[in-house]
Amino acid sequence: KVTLILGLLNNRVPIRLMNELLLAAAEDDAVPPVLVSRLASQLKNRTLNDLRSQQFSQLIHVLRAKKDKNQSKYVNALVSSPLKEELWKPPFESKFVWRDKKKNVVATQT
């Protein structure tokens, strides 16, 4: 299902048809995390010179596909546990140390 949807996203498909396909695919609980992770992995190492706007618009299109106004299985998959650690930046670990003129440690960042 995921490879077929990715193939359709690369081609010109009417928006309403694509939304219906995305909603039908979201019925299977295994599809949203895999689809979001594949789309987000295309955006890895994106810079200002290399915007990858087509891949970004595909991800936004998938995230906007929802049946109800407040619920989207794709957004929930993006911020839920398995993808949260994989896609988002690693949590900040403070390593800054303040020293005085004699190089003694005055404080550390926590």
Side-chain angles (χ1 to χ4, degrees):
K1 289 181 181 180
V2 174
T3 54
L4 291 174
I5 291 174
L6 287 173
L8 288 173
L9 281 171
N10 289 328
N11 297 326
R12 288 195 156 291
V13 177
I15 292 173
R16 286 187 178 178
L17 176 62
M18 195 66 213
N19 282 338
E20 291 299 323
L21 288 173
L22 288 170
L23 290 174
E27 299 287 327
D28 184 7
D29 290 335
V31 172
V34 174
L35 183 62
V36 171
S37 69
R38 287 214 188 150
L39 286 171
S41 66
Q42 295 174 358
L43 295 172
K44 197 170 187 173
N45 300 323
R46 188 175 99 156
T47 61
L48 290 175
N49 294 332
D50 181 21
L51 294 177
R52 299 181 192 169
S53 59
Q54 181 183 3
Q55 289 87 358
F56 184 70
S57 66
Q58 288 174 356
L59 177 64
I60 295 300
H61 187 81
V62 167
L63 293 177
R64 285 185 179 170
K66 56 188 168 187
K67 197 176 272 188
D68 297 332
K69 217 172 201 183
N70 298 326
Q71 285 185 331
S72 172
K73 288 190 176 185
Y74 296 103
V75 172
N76 291 339
L78 182 65
V79 295
S80 66
S81 181
L83 289 180
K84 185 177 176 183
E85 291 84 14
E86 180 184 333
L87 297 178
W88 297 101
K89 288 183 183 178
F92 177 74
E93 296 176 12
S94 59
K95 296 180 183 176
F96 192 80
V97 177
W98 285 272
R99 298 182 187 268
D100 60 6
K101 292 181 181 177
K102 296 179 183 177
K103 305 292 184 193
N104 297 329
V105 175
V106 177
T108 59
Q109 187 179 17
T110 58

